[in-house]
Amino acid sequence: MHIRKVTIENFTSHKNTEFTLPDRGLVIVTGSNGAGKSSLAEAVSWGLWGKTLRGTDPVAPGETCTTRIETDLVKAKRVKKSGGRASFSWEPITGEAQEYENNTKAKEHLVRFIGDLSVWRRTCVFSSHDAAHFTLASDGDRKRLLETLLNIDKFDSALKACRDDLKLKQSEISTLEYNLRILASRLGELVKRKNDAVASLEANKKCSPGDPIQLAEELAQTANLIEDYDYESKHIVDQIKQAESEIYGMDMDVARLQKAMRLFESGACPTCHRDLSEEDKDVLMPECPKDLAARRAKLASKIKLLHEEKRAVNADRMALVTKAAKLKADIQIAQTLAPERNRLMQALTSASTDIQQCIEESANFKARIGTARIKEQQLLACASVLGLKGVRAQVIASALCGLESAANAWLARIAGSRLSLEVKPYSQTSTGVSDAISMEVLGAGGGFGYRASSGGERRRLDISILLALAEVAAAAADKSPGTLFFDEVFDALDEDGIEAVVSALNDLSQDRAVVVITHSPELAKTLASSVCATKWHIEDGSIVH
């Protein structure tokens, strides 16, 4: 992003100052300490993002501060009264301006348009305060900064969301598998319960003489048969009595005839007992039936047969009575066992129903586990892509190669060939490999790295890395290099170092404006000798010349 014009009113020590920057070339800003040299970069930071680089409030007590920033991308205006809230508006250089609900919405849309403050600060503003930000940063902080520069820091939230979803999915799988194990255990208990019910039911059937209802029906049929036998027996008895009565009548007739015969034979009338003549005897002589004996013998034979039939009927009846008694006893036993049999039947039905339900639930859990496993594999693949060895890591590794190459190229220009850097997309720890960026300094510090290097060596390393980061950020955004601010970062360099840096700055200023803020007369004099150099001297918040 090229800064074209900065206008500030009541900003730090500046009452009303306007800075117009060239598209390319060196801009040297000099002045004593506290004169307001750094306010140029601070105004850009506060005017566009609402924060100063130092984190201080630029508004003087009782004053109203106004900044107007014009770049090759946007124009922005911010106004704030001491102790009050700021008003902020911006519009793109090309395209129509939009109205936003509030300052927060306006800032959010601006950040999407020009990028985050931290990216601009780390790639375009190099101050003595944070020149070693990258070199002294932790391995993890380096990684986060580079991801922000490459605009892949969103992968962090994506990876976190992916891992959170993965944990939830794995927790869901664990819960489903736990429930499935519970169902398997319950299924085993239900099968045992069913088998126990079947065995008990078989034992109950063996002890029971039969179904009480069927036994009662059989008892009723037997009772009906007994009644039939009773009727038949009574009929036989009646027949016997009738035959015996007939025999008795025959015997009485025979006795009567025999008495009459004896009287006839004595000559007396059997009725009046008078003497009879021969003629009377011939007339009154009773005649004995000829077949009376045969008839009596037949009746006697019939009676004998009837008695035999009666004994047979009584025997059959007694068998039925015995059967009925047994049926009554069996019914009593069956009725005693029936409740237990009914309970066992209900238990068997309940167990069978529960087993079927358990099998269906188990099938449902297995299907859900299968679906969850597929989702788990997808999340694992997603986490792998977003993680240490995924696409993001490949992008970072590729960018680190460019960063290392660019930093070493700048080091070769400002420090010679004795200093070099190795930047790796991982960090070796005591527990293994960490997803972070490690940096190793070669040729300085006696093998103990950056912290053991001299002040001049560290400053050369810092400048080289910052310039390399600016190149990486410009390449990642596919934009031309923007305005660079160097705020007293060269003060720790010796004469040779200053000459090397001036040469590098001259090259950098060929396609952008390079603002160098310094209170070193030697550096300012050397830089002013450049062909395209603009010099501003600031005193008490104003440009003197």
Side-chain angles (χ1 to χ4, degrees), residues 410-480:
W410 285 111
L411 269 177
R413 293 194 60 180
I414 64 178
S417 60
R418 61 188 182 84
L419 284 180
S420 63
L421 289 171
E422 284 188 4
V423 186
K424 301 176 181 179
Y426 60 86
S427 179
Q428 192 72 36
T429 65
S430 58
T431 58
V433 178
S434 174
D435 184 10
I437 296 173
S438 63
M439 186 181 69
E440 184 178 352
V441 177
L442 304 177
F448 293 97
Y450 177 84
R451 295 181 184 276
S453 303
S454 67
E457 289 172 334
R458 288 200 298 269
R459 188 51 53 91
R460 287 176 172 84
L461 290 167
D462 297 337
I463 294 170
S464 299
I465 291 175
L466 291 173
L467 292 173
L469 284 172
E471 292 184 14
V472 170
D478 194 22
K479 296 178 180 178
S480 60

Side-chain angles (χ1 to χ4, degrees), residues 132-190:
H133 178 80
F134 190 84
T135 47
L136 290 179
S138 67
D139 294 343
D141 288 339
R142 291 193 193 107
K143 170 181 166 291
R144 284 186 287 274
L145 174 59
L146 189 59
E147 287 183 339
T148 303
L149 295 178
L150 297 173
N151 200 29
I152 60 173
D153 52 326
K154 298 179 179 63
F155 281 34
D156 274 333
S157 58
L159 179 59
K160 182 180 182 301
C162 178
R163 287 174 174 169
D164 290 344
D165 289 346
L166 181 60
K167 288 181 180 178
L168 290 175
K169 189 58 62 176
Q170 290 173 338
S171 175
E172 179 187 346
I173 291 173
S174 298
T175 302
L176 290 172
E177 289 178 339
Y178 175 74
N179 290 334
L180 186 60
R181 288 194 296 271
I182 291 178
L183 283 175
S185 176
R186 184 173 176 229
L187 182 61
E189 293 175 357
L190 290 173

Side-chain angles (χ1 to χ4, degrees), residues 7 115 131 142 167 185-186 211 217 237 251 339 353 365 385 469 478 486 522-523:
T7 304
R142 291 193 193 107
K167 288 181 180 178
S185 176
R186 184 173 176 229
D211 182 60
E217 291 177 353
V237 169
D251 290 342
T353 302
F365 275 115
V385 169
L469 284 172
D478 194 22
F486 292 89
E522 295 81 5
L523 179 61

